[in-house]
Amino acid sequence: MSEPVIDVCEVAYDTECWTAYLRSLATAAPRYLVLFAGRFADLTGRAPGEVAAEAARDPAGTAERLAAVLGRGFDIDRHVAALADTGVTHQVLHGGPWPVGDGTVNDRVAAYAARHPDRLSAWAGVSLTDPRAAVGEARRALDELGATGLSVIPFLDGVDPSGPEHAGLWRLAAGRGVPVWLHCGQHFRPDVPIDVSAPRVLDRIAGAHPGLVLVAGHGGWPWVAEMLAVAQRHANVHLEFSSHRPSRMAARGSGWEPLLTLGATSVRDRVLFGSTSWTQARTPAALAAEVTRLGLPDDAVRAWLHGNAERLLGRARPGVAA
């Protein structure tokens, strides 16, 4: 079964953006560089043990050195051409609030999307560390940069996104009708509670802001059943499973069993495909192909790979059912 693909969670960065992104991890959550050493090794042609040892010893320096390789020769036109060649019809690129040049990563990512509006969308990253600044960056990104959604990583900010001080950001997104991607599930920052943005936190946000469209990033694992219960409770809550291999979801004990059941029935229309392909060292198209081999009904595969995203992004194709 071959289906077009819409990828709602990817990063596509030049060297400066990779540097800003990895530096933020090295500062707030350096363990990421160690745990993903194998992925970084695949992408940079180094030995996993070498990358892991270096990251444990010097996370900041490792971030700089990895970024120099990961962003080398990056060209957004080539990136888009590769998407077209492999059947990825549209991709959402996630930005970030981290400074780059005279702007932020959001500026760079929005420029990429503006260059290829048929193939790319930009969701601007905002930091919750300063609620007023978060609203300001969100407004700037939506009004000036052309972003069509927002992206939030609470564990990096070390704050509870359901706190009342963040209500202004959620009201803004709901009022503008733009989706908010929220990192949901496991993270590796040990000084921040693991459930800082667990499904029950999204439940509180969705309950307080029923018009807000939320996308649970990374599917809420290991609380997948709870995430699906939240989606059943709130019609505007979606989930995507980027950074997790679809091919492993059917394995006994994977934790994804509830998704393979309810994701084909009661919440079929709220499941989205996302890649964050650097975490897998595989292309979005290869990851999407794994979805087609999960034994799901054809209508569920179509919904997951493109139909649901077409509705969410307003990119439905005339005469084509989801």
Side-chain angles (χ1 to χ4, degrees):
M1 180 182 183
S2 178
E3 289 289 332
V5 176
I6 295 180
D7 178 3
V8 301
C9 189
E10 180 62 300
V11 295
Y13 291 161
D14 59 21
T15 296
E16 286 186 297
C17 290
W18 270 113
T19 300
Y21 175 44
L22 295 182
R23 188 184 292 146
S24 72
L25 289 174
T27 301
R31 185 162 165 74
Y32 270 85
L33 301 183
V34 177
L35 289 171
F36 285 96
R39 305 301 185 204
F40 288 125
D42 288 341
L43 294 166
T44 59
R46 298 175 61 187
E50 176 188 353
V51 176
E54 181 184 287
R57 182 178 64 253
D58 178 20
T62 301
E64 301 279 343
R65 288 184 285 273
L66 289 173
V69 179
L70 292 170
R72 183 183 297 158
F74 174 76
D75 181 274
I76 193 61
D77 298 332
R78 286 199 301 270
H79 176 84
V80 168
L83 295 179
D85 288 345
T86 56
V88 179
T89 60
H90 198 82
Q91 190 172 67
V92 176
L93 303 183
H94 288 236
W98 315 295
V100 169
D102 57 358
T104 68
V105 173
N106 289 332
D107 293 78
R108 295 280 176 90
V109 170
Y112 297 153
R115 185 175 177 87
H116 295 280
D118 291 338
R119 290 282 177 181
L120 302 175
S121 295
W123 287 4
V126 297
S127 170
L128 302 181
T129 53
D130 181 336
R132 186 184 296 272
V135 172
E137 178 65 1
R139 284 203 177 106
R140 185 184 79 89
L142 297 173
D143 294 340
E144 300 177 22
L145 303 182
T148 57
L150 302 175
S151 181
V152 180
I153 309 176
F155 79 81
L156 275 184
D157 304 328
V159 300
D160 175 3
S162 67
E165 66 273 23
H166 305 300
L169 180 64
W170 311 138
R171 285 196 298 268
L172 171 67
R176 297 293 184 89
V178 298
V180 177
W181 182 95
L182 196 71
H183 185 285
C184 180
Q186 182 187 32
H187 68 84
F188 301 103
R189 182 176 174 179
D191 61 329
V192 172
I194 192 171
D195 60 352
V196 66
S197 54
R200 67 192 64 186
V201 178
L202 272 68
D203 182 62
R204 291 198 290 270
I205 297 171
H209 305 278
L212 175 64
V213 176
L214 286 173
V215 178
H218 311 321
W221 191 93
W223 306 290
V224 177
E226 184 177 317
M227 187 64 248
L228 295 171
V230 172
Q232 288 177 328
R233 280 166 50 81
H234 303 286
N236 284 327
V237 171
H238 303 68
L239 66 118
E240 60 84 21
F241 45 84
S242 63
S243 83
H244 294 275
R245 284 286 302 274
S247 64
R248 296 173 183 160
M249 288 180 175
R252 185 176 180 181
S254 73
W256 291 101
E257 297 94 335
L259 179 63
L260 299 183
T261 300
L262 299 180
T265 55
S266 63
V267 296
R268 190 205 71 166
D269 295 336
R270 251 86 60 64
V271 182
L272 309 166
F273 172 78
S275 68
T276 315
S277 62
W278 76 263
T279 66
Q280 305 294 341
R282 284 168 175 78
T283 67
L287 294 168
E290 293 182 356
V291 173
T292 69
R293 298 191 288 271
L294 286 172
L296 294 164
D298 287 352
D299 62 345
V301 173
R302 286 192 293 270
W304 288 23
L305 290 185
H306 61 90
N308 297 338
E310 285 167 356
R311 286 193 301 276
L312 183 72
L313 303 177
R315 305 192 67 83
R317 295 167 293 159
V320 177

